[in-house]
Amino acid sequence: MAIQDREVPEAGAEARELPSRFLPAAKYRDLPEPRTFRQIFGASIILTATAIGSGEFVLWPYITSQVGLVLMWTAVLGFFMQYILNMEIERYTLATGETAVTGFTRIWPPLGVLITVIAIIPNLWPGWATGAATIVTYVAGAGSPVPIAIVAMVAIGSALTLSKVVYKTVERVEMVLVGGIAVFLVVALFVGTGLSDWAAFGASFSHVGQLPPMEEVGGIAALLGAIAFAGAGGGNNLVQSNWARDKQMGMGQYMPRVTSPFTGQEAAAAGTGHMFLDSDENRRRWKGWWKVANAEQFGTFFLLGCGTLVIMSVLAYATVFGVPLPEDDFDFIRAQGEIFGQRFGGWFQTAFWMAGAIALFSTQLGIMDWVSRLTADTVKVTFFRGSTKVTESRIYFAVIWVMIIAGSAILLSGTEEPLALILISSSAGGVVMFLYSMLLIFTNRRFLPRSIRLGGWRMVMMCVAVVFYGYFSIALLVDQF
């Protein structure tokens, strides 16, 4: 039976308390029994979908079109570090049911708000919707991307607003979209690349530790953005907490989920969590959860996501590397498609562009979802914990429509160049990752029971992540100011 109230631990069980100076103390409950891989599959699919449309389809192919494959070592390293980061984010949520940002708020309330604000502002720029709309105009042969992008955002907002349980809708849509992209990648692997291209990819790892001149990759902002978005990037990774919680993984089974204020049953409770006693039985359950969560994240995020990045970059190398392209423009996507058409037929050109439009649309959907989740969780926990009227669900949908209005206003103001918009979002995301990497080390070392806290080789990799993202973040600030 789960322990509902704060009690003296049983003999042989160690109690660990979450800091309660700024947020309510956590009650003790037993860790639920672990679920199977099949039952939790999909917990990382939204994160993977947002990754595919940012770094994998846009930023890394763009850099490859400029300098070839010499920086692929940073892409693979960046992806692996994000896998480690994501699992530390999941570690905190599996153990407490809280999001990582709520953990930061337990350290000091302004930290959660600061991380949220820094993560949100760059993503008001609708670069992914604009990119998808731009590619649609390539397929159609004419048209303006602005109205297409606005209609796409309104469609996303409407679908989410009418979803009974938002997470289930987003997961199902993203699975279909990612499945379509995967089919294209399998075809492209055999049709669009050759052995010499893959030999060049293998040879690129002889450049480990080397960086080309910054002007060749579009500047430090482009490089930082690409490294941060070799994977999901920015505040996006933090919302793996929210998705794991809504998937009801670990202690997340005790937490409320985001539901539609129109079609679902709302929960007014704030997302403050629980702790489990460090007993033999809970340790057994923890090992089961940790094993299955790692397997799902590694397969869905690292293998699928990193494989997509590699294939798309090799495709760019095989087609547009060395071809003169305008700087800060989306024309390399058009050029890739046209070259595919010349070499393999118009069907492949259209398939490539449609896969790109789907990838960017899936990213816009994921970004609107994660920004709204991050904001809603932080605002509810920090400012409206005791309110029954201001629920996390209502905040979520308010943010969704604010993003749609703000994004539409930006596009109607004349700022519509997709690559520039994406670079703004991604380079700022690298700075956010530097900050929360340090905070995760603190929470997962200080707040969790000794038997499950961060340590060993994962601790080493987290320190590498701090140095990695910190170096490029400081370089960006020096370059800008």
Side-chain angles (χ1 to χ4, degrees), residues 10 13 35 86 130 155 176 200 211-212 215 266 268 276 287 303 309-310 315 337 355 359 366 374 396 405 447 462 480:
E10 301 170 355
R35 295 158 68 191
N86 295 343
T130 311
V176 172
L211 297 175
E215 60 271 14
E266 291 188 88
F276 60 84
K287 288 180 181 178
L303 292 183
L309 183 150
V310 169
L315 274 173
L374 185 66
Y396 173 92
I405 293 169
F447 293 1
M462 287 295 293
Q480 295 299 311

Side-chain angles (χ1 to χ4, degrees), residues 372-400:
S372 301
R373 284 180 187 275
L374 185 66
T375 306
D377 178 62
T378 303
V379 170
K380 175 64 177 177
V381 167
T382 306
F383 302 108
F384 298 103
R385 285 193 303 278
S387 174
T388 58
K389 293 183 178 179
V390 182
T391 66
E392 186 172 336
S393 294
R394 292 177 185 180
I395 301 170
Y396 173 92
F397 290 107
V399 177
I400 284 283

Side-chain angles (χ1 to χ4, degrees), residues 319-320 323 325 330-340 353:
T319 53
V320 295
V323 176
L325 296 173
F330 217 55
D331 274 1
F332 75 99
I333 298 292
R334 182 198 290 271
Q336 274 189 278
E338 291 173 346
I339 292 174
F340 283 146
W353 282 338

Side-chain angles (χ1 to χ4, degrees), residues 275-292:
M275 286 294 288
F276 60 84
L277 297 177
D278 191 15
S279 63
D280 291 341
E281 190 64 18
N282 279 327
R283 289 183 188 181
R284 176 190 64 79
R285 293 169 179 152
W286 172 263
K287 288 180 181 178
W289 276 112
W290 189 241
K291 180 179 179 180
V292 73

Side-chain angles (χ1 to χ4, degrees), residues 52-226:
I52 288 174
S54 50
E56 282 75 340
F57 190 81
V58 178
L59 294 177
W60 276 103
Y62 172 75
I63 286 180
T64 301
S65 73
Q66 304 299 305
V67 298
L69 297 169
V70 295
L71 282 172
M72 290 306 296
W73 67 272
T74 63
V76 176
L77 177 60
F79 234 112
F80 185 73
M81 285 196 300
Q82 282 198 38
Y83 159 68
I84 300 298
L85 273 174
N86 295 343
M87 286 313 304
E88 290 313 309
I89 291 164
E90 278 200 44
R91 184 195 299 269
Y92 186 81
T93 299
L94 289 172
T96 68
E98 295 183 345
T99 65
V101 176
T102 299
F104 304 158
T105 302
R106 287 190 179 275
I107 301 172
W108 187 47
L111 282 177
V113 176
L114 175 65
I115 290 291
T116 301
V117 170
I118 296 176
I120 289 170
I121 291 176
N123 288 288
L124 293 176
W125 277 254
W128 292 269
T130 311
T134 300
I135 296 176
V136 169
T137 65
Y138 296 164
V139 177
S144 170
V146 171
I148 299 173
I150 293 174
V151 168
M153 289 190 291
V154 171
I156 291 171
S158 300
L160 294 178
T161 303
L162 297 175
S163 301
K164 186 174 182 179
V165 177
V166 174
Y167 173 81
K168 290 183 178 179
T169 298
V170 177
E171 181 188 89
R172 288 167 183 168
V173 171
E174 296 290 31
M175 278 192 174
V176 172
L177 296 177
V178 170
I181 295 166
V183 171
F184 168 77
L185 289 174
V186 171
V187 175
L189 179 66
F190 293 100
V191 175
T193 66
L195 291 177
S196 61
D197 303 317
W198 288 100
F201 168 72
S204 68
F205 288 89
S206 64
H207 299 280
V208 170
Q210 302 176 23
L211 297 175
M214 290 299 102
E215 60 271 14
E216 292 185 10
V217 296
I220 187 66
L223 181 59
L224 174 60

